[in-house]
Every structure is written in structure tokens, then in C-alpha cells.
Amino acid sequence: MEFSYRFYTNKACKYFPCHAMEGDFNCMFCYCPLYLLDEGCGGNFSYVGGVKDCSNCTIPHRPKGYDYINDRLREEISKRKEANEG
């Protein structure tokens, strides 16, 4: 499969599916790399007892989630690099 490094589904996982959603389900980012970004992650999250709850977010599991997450990480790295240089 072309671009298989961007998308795979692990139906053998005991937590699959971890989110209720229709369509293709991407397990590539089982744990979202954007979790540490508060408002800047772009996902549908809330805080429960002071802990970020991402159970209503499906960005990492969508077919285009890989590209979205990597673009956001590049943006964040650029911002931090500029802040450190300036």
C-alpha cells in the first residue's frame, strides 16, 4: 500500500475502536503527539479534573490526520525556533 506509513488500522487492539466514528479509522497516532498543546492542537477537547480529555477528538484517527498532525508539529517547531532566536 502506497503511503502505508501514514495509515493503518489495528483491529486486533483490545481498545479498537477507541472513538465512535464512521469511515476509515487510523491507528497511527494512538496517542496524539499534539496532546501537550493546549488550545493550539485544534482538536475537540475539554478539561476534566484538570486533565485534558481528548475522547471527543477524532483528528488523529481520520485519514488526513497524519498530515494535519505533522503540519501542526512543524508550525510549533518553527514558532519555538523563532522565539529562541529572537
Side-chain angles (χ1 to χ4, degrees), residues 2 9 28 30 33 39 46 50 53 63 65 69 71 74-75 77:
E2 189 175 2
T9 302
M28 177 63 66
C30 177
E39 302 300 321
S46 61
D53 176 4
I69 288 171
D71 289 345
R74 282 187 202 94
E75 288 174 26
I77 289 167

Side-chain angles (χ1 to χ4, degrees), residues 1-2 4 16 38-40 42 44-45 55 60 68 70 78-79 83:
M1 174 183 190
E2 189 175 2
S4 61
F16 182 83
D38 289 325
E39 302 300 321
N44 182 18
F45 69 92
S55 58
Y68 176 84
N70 280 294
S78 290
K79 279 193 241 175

Side-chain angles (χ1 to χ4, degrees), residues 6-84:
R6 294 174 180 245
F7 191 98
Y8 80 94
T9 302
N10 181 8
K11 292 183 179 179
C13 176
K14 74 177 189 174
Y15 301 107
F16 182 83
C18 59
H19 295 277
M21 60 179 259
E22 294 181 21
D24 294 330
F25 196 98
N26 190 357
C27 297
M28 177 63 66
F29 294 118
C30 177
Y31 181 84
C32 184
L34 303 179
Y35 180 80
L36 293 176
L37 299 179
D38 289 325
E39 302 300 321
C41 73
N44 182 18
F45 69 92
S46 61
Y47 284 98
V48 177
V51 177
K52 190 175 180 181
D53 176 4
C54 303
S55 58
N56 289 320
C57 180
T58 58
I59 289 173
H61 304 299
R62 298 278 177 204
K64 300 283 184 182
Y66 180 90
D67 294 320
Y68 176 84
I69 288 171
N70 280 294
D71 289 345
R72 278 297 297 119
L73 289 173
R74 282 187 202 94
E75 288 174 26
E76 195 63 30
I77 289 167
S78 290
K79 279 193 241 175
R80 292 175 187 222
K81 188 176 179 181
E82 288 174 14
N84 288 333

